[in-house]
Amino acid sequence: MAEQIVVQLRSEIDVGSFTYELRHGKAVTDDLASGTRFSEISGYLKRISLDDTLSEQQQDNDFIHEVVHAINQVYLDGELEERQVKCVSNGFHQVLKQLGVTFRLQPSEGG
Ligand SMILES: [Zn+2]
């Protein structure tokens, strides 16, 4: 089994020359649940919202998925369609997991 590498995420992540805010916690989870989503990205507000109540595996998948969306926005003018973003991010998730790389959100007040 590969060495485990846990990447502790900060509250922001840079993609290209843009800084995206990484948001999570109860208010974010409630907001996402109202739209029956696990995660979302706003290219306009430059922020990524993640449900931190899901399994660590699901959170990893969602984080990678939204980062691929950000890369798509910044470097590809949004040319990739949802299905393509999903396929690329699922592929990255599988390869990173195989290498023992996982991501953890910062603890947030209120869950
Ligand atoms: Zn998506």
Side-chain angles (χ1 to χ4, degrees):
M1 190 165 142
E3 178 191 354
Q4 297 301 298
I5 301 159
V6 179
V7 178
Q8 189 66 54
L9 298 172
R10 300 178 197 185
S11 58
E12 295 178 338
I13 185 164
D14 290 344
V15 178
S17 57
F18 296 97
T19 300
Y20 286 75
E21 179 193 0
L22 274 183
R23 305 167 68 238
H24 64 103
K26 188 172 185 333
V28 173
T29 296
D30 290 348
D31 187 41
L32 289 168
S34 70
T36 63
R37 284 159 300 171
F38 295 158
S39 62
E40 70 178 10
I41 185 168
S42 168
Y44 179 67
L45 297 171
K46 294 285 180 285
R47 66 187 197 189
I48 291 172
S49 303
L50 300 161
D51 182 341
D52 58 10
T53 66
L54 302 169
S55 70
E56 291 184 342
Q57 208 166 10
Q58 184 66 51
Q59 289 181 48
D60 272 2
N61 192 279
D62 293 340
F63 169 69
I64 295 165
H65 181 92
E66 299 308 342
V67 168
V68 172
H69 267 302
I71 291 167
N72 186 34
Q73 290 171 357
V74 173
Y75 290 107
L76 289 161
D77 291 327
E79 282 179 26
L80 296 184
E81 295 176 8
E82 184 62 31
R83 181 182 167 278
Q84 295 168 312
V85 169
K86 199 169 183 175
C87 290
V88 170
S89 59
N90 285 347
F92 264 120
H93 184 211
Q94 182 272 313
V95 171
L96 289 170
K97 186 169 161 36
Q98 169 197 227
L99 294 171
V101 179
T102 56
F103 300 92
R104 287 300 157 264
L105 295 166
Q106 284 184 330
S108 69
E109 64 291 346

